[in-house]
Amino acid sequence: MTVPFADPAGAWDPPPLNEIHALLAPLDSPWWIAGGWAIELAVGRPVRPHNDVDVLMLHRDHSAIQAVLPDWEWWAADPPGTLRPWLPGELLPHHVHDIWCRPTADHPWSFQFMLDNADGDHWVSRRDPRIRRPIADIGRTTDDNLPYLAPEIQLFYKSKAPRPKDELDFQAALPILTPDQRAWLDEALRIHPAG
């Protein structure tokens, strides 16, 4: 059974970030809050409303999340443009970059895992393998140890096809980037231009 993205079989009702933190605390693999929430955590203030929560993890670690939340319902975004059930124990192919989950079929979608590549101890952008960075350097943490994706990496991903909400995130995050973060983003966009 597959579901087209245009009809994603239900609404989103993500839990608060602290609840996601608690749910994923047993996960031994690295993960980071991503998307617009990562930008807000970086700037330290609300930027805009959010309809969902994205969590980034490395593709090589994806099977661990089913073990941490074994009773949840899992769906893989299997291109082009469909969701399909992600069966327990199934190793997803590398072209699958997104997993949607919820506690039960009757519950709205809770959050989305975005899967990214790694080579040894380096994160590798799935857009262009020349864009890479030590895994230890791609995230930040809040004062209460909530991990989130570094804003320059999140802005790089948002540059592909910017929507109005992405423009708001850019406006909020660019002023807080350090010179090193700006240099990294500039170089990434030189290698793989926006849009």
Side-chain angles (χ1 to χ4, degrees), residues 17 21 33 37 40-42 140-148:
L17 297 184
H21 194 191
I33 296 295
W37 279 112
E40 287 199 8
L41 292 170
R140 307 289 179 268
T141 55
T142 63
D143 291 341
D144 55 352
N145 292 318
L146 177 65
Y148 63 94

Side-chain angles (χ1 to χ4, degrees), residues 1-12 73 75-76 80-84 100 102 109:
M1 171 194 215
T2 60
V3 178
F5 283 140
D7 177 24
W12 286 86
E73 181 178 89
W75 288 67
T82 57
L83 290 172
R84 67 168 176 84
W100 294 19
R102 55 190 173 188
W109 296 110

Side-chain angles (χ1 to χ4, degrees), residues 109-181:
W109 296 110
S110 291
F111 47 99
Q112 171 181 336
F113 285 93
M114 301 181 331
L115 305 179
D116 228 338
N117 300 326
D119 179 13
D121 60 358
H122 280 76
W123 161 82
V124 179
S125 169
R126 68 177 179 259
R127 281 202 202 147
D128 192 312
R130 295 173 294 171
I131 301 170
R132 52 183 52 226
R133 197 156 162 187
I135 293 168
D137 293 343
I138 70 166
R140 307 289 179 268
T141 55
T142 63
D143 291 341
D144 55 352
N145 292 318
L146 177 65
Y148 63 94
L149 190 61
E152 67 273 22
I153 297 175
Q154 187 58 66
L155 292 178
F156 170 70
Y157 276 119
K158 286 178 166 290
S159 72
K160 181 178 181 182
R163 302 157 292 183
K165 66 180 183 177
D166 300 319
E167 295 294 342
L168 290 173
D169 290 342
F170 269 92
Q171 291 170 15
L174 284 175
I176 62 103
L177 295 185
T178 66
D180 287 345
Q181 290 173 312

Side-chain angles (χ1 to χ4, degrees), residues 1-2 27 57-78 82-93 96-102 109 111-115:
M1 171 194 215
T2 60
L27 194 60
M57 71 182 307
L58 301 175
H59 192 282
R60 68 185 180 195
D61 300 327
H62 74 274
S63 61
I65 57 177
Q66 282 187 336
V68 169
L69 300 171
D71 298 327
W72 281 47
E73 181 178 89
W74 300 96
W75 288 67
D78 204 345
T82 57
L83 290 172
R84 67 168 176 84
W86 177 29
L87 303 176
E90 176 190 3
L91 293 179
L92 294 172
V96 173
H97 301 139
D98 297 290
I99 301 165
W100 294 19
C101 64
R102 55 190 173 188
W109 296 110
F111 47 99
Q112 171 181 336
F113 285 93
M114 301 181 331
L115 305 179

